[in-house]
Amino acid sequence: MKKSLGANTLAQPTPVWLVGSYDAAGKPNIMTIAWGGICCSKPPCLTVSLRKERHTYPAILARGGFTISVPSQDLVRQADYAGMVSGANADKFAAAGLTAVKSELVDAPYVDECPLVIECRLFKTVDLGAHTQFVGEILDVKAEESVLGEDGHMDLELLRPLIYSPGASRYYAVGSVVAKGFSVGKEIGG
Amino acid sequence: MKKSLGANTLAQPTPVWLVGSYDAAGKPNIMTIAWGGICCSKPPCLTVSLRKERHTYPAILARGGFTISVPSQDLVRQADYAGMVSGANADKFAAAGLTAVKSELVDAPYVDECPLVIECRLFKTVDLGAHTQFVGEILDVKAEESVLGEDGHMDLELLRPLIYSPGASRYYAVGSVVAKGFSVGKEIGG
């Protein structure tokens, strides 16, 4: 029996991404978001949603780009911190003991300690209400070789990204492989 | 040492959602997507990206709404199948042994066997290139009581949603709780 939970943002699962930018003073900053995802294959784009009052909001508009750093499970404290505190009041890189690396492709920093980083040029903004979508065209994806499997692809059991669950506000680990895509469905058809 | 993987849609992790719609003939249909996420808190919205050539594309435009059904790990074959085969050529509900339930809030069906469903009114479309974003305003979220924990929130260890990993095209399970959000970060500050 299904129970109504109301008109809420309770979709599952959501990612945990650190959005990197330089603020007006040139200080590197990160903010943690769960409202985002891939949104287009060609051009390759992802989207992150920010409230207008966030310190990162004018930073992305001013510099025309941003980065996504995907923290591993070991960085859960840093990720949670970067989602609670504003870069207007803190040097989050310094406080969290993280290293800012200037992207060579966009005018934004990424987090060296994160095993996966994505460099994005601001492609489009879409105002939706409380949040504005920043659609970024992916210019490059960089991953630590240690998170690539023998097939050359990222292996989530090595990457160990965090999963965020809205509602409960809990971070989860990724478990083991359930199945190969475009494969097990053939047992039904296609 | 980070290795460049190029300008590709390799963000991690992504969700596995079944988008439900009625086609022009009134046939219930689902398609599986990983390009999507929550995108606004007020109004509560999520976004899914579809290619124009998909059978679901005109269906959502014609009926002005869609549903998201979140499959549990046990439905991985059905989810993989619904991402490979077009509703133009198959009755996917029948082939996959799934039950279509007509939403009372939007003109679209959801999958009864899925423990979490979200009913969305089409709020905005955003053409990005190969994909168009369908932004849906969430009118209700419905979950099986069996996936709610003692605190009333969804428990991902009970919901057991799938995680999709682009690149490797693998489905993963969700693991155990790593930390409570807006909590562990306080050890750093905030």
Side-chain angles (χ1 to χ4, degrees):
Chain A
M1 180 69 188
K2 288 186 172 61
K3 179 180 177 180
S4 169
L5 303 177
N8 294 306
T9 50
L10 295 174
Q12 314 283 343
T14 67
V16 177
W17 291 349
L18 309 182
V19 180
S21 63
Y22 288 113
D23 71 8
K27 184 182 69 180
N29 186 35
I30 44 170
M31 73 169 285
T32 309
I33 68 108
W35 286 189
I38 299 172
C39 60
C40 189
S41 293
K42 197 173 178 181
C45 292
L46 57 76
T47 176
V48 295
S49 287
L50 271 71
R51 293 177 185 267
K52 286 192 179 63
E53 56 268 34
R54 292 289 177 258
H55 195 58
T56 298
Y57 187 98
I60 293 177
L61 288 177
R63 306 277 181 138
F66 61 93
T67 65
I68 298 295
S69 298
V70 180
S72 69
Q73 201 175 311
D74 307 313
L75 296 171
V76 66
R77 280 172 188 74
Q78 288 86 341
D80 194 48
Y81 164 74
M84 287 194 296
V85 169
S86 172
N89 311 315
D91 181 338
K92 292 197 250 186
F93 273 97
L98 298 173
T99 310
V101 176
K102 184 171 175 18
S103 164
E104 292 179 3
L105 300 174
V106 295
D107 193 4
Y110 62 80
V111 180
D112 199 33
E113 288 78 4
C114 288
L116 171 62
V117 300
I118 306 168
E119 295 154 289
C120 298
R121 176 180 79 84
L122 182 59
F123 184 70
K124 195 184 273 261
T125 60
V126 184
D127 192 14
L128 295 172
H131 284 82
T132 299
Q133 279 192 318
F134 286 84
V135 177
E137 180 184 351
I138 298 170
L139 300 185
D140 196 24
V141 176
K142 292 177 169 69
E144 291 292 331
E145 300 206 33
S146 61
V147 303
L148 302 176
E150 288 180 8
D151 60 2
H153 290 300
M154 265 178 280
D155 180 333
L156 295 197
E157 291 180 82
L158 298 173
L159 185 69
R160 301 167 74 235
L162 293 161
I163 307 296
Y164 183 68
S165 179
S169 298
R170 279 188 290 252
Y171 300 103
Y172 287 82
V174 169
S176 50
V177 174
V178 174
K180 179 91 180 90
F182 302 95
S183 168
V184 287
K186 291 180 183 164
E187 295 171 18
I188 296 173
Chain B
M1 181 67 189
K2 287 187 173 60
K3 180 180 176 181
S4 170
L5 303 176
N8 293 307
T9 50
L10 295 173
Q12 313 284 343
T14 68
V16 178
W17 291 349
L18 309 181
V19 181
S21 63
Y22 288 113
D23 72 7
K27 185 182 70 180
N29 186 37
I30 44 170
M31 74 169 285
T32 308
I33 68 107
W35 286 189
I38 299 173
C39 59
C40 189
S41 294
K42 196 171 177 183
C45 291
L46 57 78
T47 176
V48 294
S49 286
L50 270 71
R51 292 177 185 269
K52 287 192 178 63
E53 55 270 33
R54 293 288 177 256
H55 195 58
T56 298
Y57 187 98
I60 292 177
L61 288 177
R63 307 277 180 138
F66 61 93
T67 64
I68 299 295
S69 298
V70 181
S72 69
Q73 200 175 310
D74 308 313
L75 296 171
V76 67
R77 279 171 189 74
Q78 289 87 340
D80 194 47
Y81 163 76
M84 287 194 295
V85 170
S86 172
N89 312 314
D91 181 337
K92 293 196 249 186
F93 272 98
L98 298 173
T99 310
V101 176
K102 185 173 174 15
S103 164
E104 293 179 2
L105 300 174
V106 295
D107 193 4
Y110 62 80
V111 180
D112 199 32
E113 287 79 4
C114 288
L116 170 62
V117 300
I118 306 169
E119 295 154 288
C120 297
R121 177 180 78 83
L122 183 58
F123 183 70
K124 195 184 274 257
T125 61
V126 184
D127 193 14
L128 295 172
H131 285 81
T132 299
Q133 282 194 121
F134 286 84
V135 177
E137 180 185 350
I138 299 170
L139 300 184
D140 196 24
V141 175
K142 293 178 169 69
E144 291 292 332
E145 299 206 31
S146 60
V147 304
L148 302 176
E150 288 180 8
D151 60 3
H153 290 299
M154 265 178 280
D155 179 333
L156 294 197
E157 290 180 83
L158 299 173
L159 185 69
R160 301 166 75 234
L162 293 160
I163 306 297
Y164 183 68
S165 179
S169 297
R170 280 189 288 253
Y171 301 103
Y172 288 82
V174 169
S176 51
V177 174
V178 174
K180 180 91 182 90
F182 302 95
S183 168
V184 286
K186 291 180 184 165
E187 295 172 19
I188 297 173

